[in-house]
Amino acid sequence: MALAVSPDLPVVPPSLGRRWLSRVNMSGPVPEHAPQLGACWPWDGRTNKRGYAVITVAGRPELLHRVLYPTIHGPIPDGWQVDHLCHHHELCQLGDACPHRACANPAHWYATTGRENNLRSGSPTAVNARKTHCWRGHPLNGGNLQMRADRPGHRECRTCRRIRRFVAEAEQMAAMGQMTLL
Ligand SMILES: [Zn+2]
Ligand SMILES: [Zn+2]
Ligand SMILES: [Zn+2]
């Protein structure tokens, strides 16, 4: 069984999924500025010089979030980069020693234009970006957009909903020691 988030996204290759989940600690600290994110998953594997989690894919070292983001969140918009929601640009000024860079919880990843510090800020660019993208950077249109019947005007991102379910399932599997199912 392979971890698949959605039929429209590539599956997480089983060996990659296994190596990823066997090297995370799912009971890391909960970010103080955003407790709704849940616990960080500190990476117990290799990191690069700048503190980002690295995993070997086809014999080559790759950034973990770069490899897994497209399979879990969807494509990274052109020219955007992947950043960590658990990191706070003002509260955490540790630079390359920032522990969030090695956080392997996919719910803590988001795509950003990199032009502003983050999409959740009140800057005009961020406010504009939120009209077309959710706070994690997924496009709010087409099949990814869901209008909620119970809350008129409330737009919901289907990808974010899938990520919440995916993370809950991964946590459950880890708790039950069933990582071999991947
Ligand atoms: Zn985190
Ligand atoms: Zn940080
Ligand atoms: Zn989203």
Side-chain angles (χ1 to χ4, degrees), residues 6 52 162 170:
S6 135
Y52 290 93
R162 283 199 304 259

Side-chain angles (χ1 to χ4, degrees), residues 8 15 36 46 52 55 69 79 92 170:
D8 349 316
S15 83
Q36 74 276 17
R46 255 180 80 191
Y52 290 93
I55 195 159
Y69 188 96
C92 176

Side-chain angles (χ1 to χ4, degrees), residues 73 134-140 144 157-161 163:
H73 296 243
C134 81
W135 66 306
R136 282 199 180 93
H138 310 125
L140 282 175
N144 191 48
C157 170
R158 282 184 200 265
T159 310
C160 278
R161 206 171 51 184
I163 290 165

Side-chain angles (χ1 to χ4, degrees), residues 91-160:
L91 298 176
C92 176
Q93 304 219 331
L94 297 170
D96 291 351
C98 159
H100 307 112
R101 289 188 179 179
C103 175
N105 183 341
H108 291 191
W109 302 338
Y110 73 107
T112 166
T113 60
R115 283 198 303 272
E116 70 286 337
N117 272 349
N118 65 61
L119 276 176
R120 294 146 295 136
S121 78
S123 79
T125 326
V127 169
N128 262 332
R130 265 202 301 270
K131 291 178 186 159
T132 53
H133 292 78
C134 81
W135 66 306
R136 282 199 180 93
H138 310 125
L140 282 175
N141 56 37
N144 191 48
L145 174 64
Q146 176 155 42
M147 304 301 291
R148 287 190 38 174
D150 55 330
R151 289 170 68 185
H154 184 89
R155 299 180 304 163
E156 197 167 44
C157 170
R158 282 184 200 265
T159 310
C160 278

Side-chain angles (χ1 to χ4, degrees), residues 9-37:
L9 300 179
V11 294
V12 179
S15 83
L16 180 68
R18 216 169 15 240
R19 283 183 292 136
W20 164 48
L21 290 180
S22 67
R23 285 182 203 155
V24 296
N25 163 13
M26 290 179 173
S27 39
V30 175
E32 274 173 45
H33 66 277
Q36 74 276 17
L37 287 173

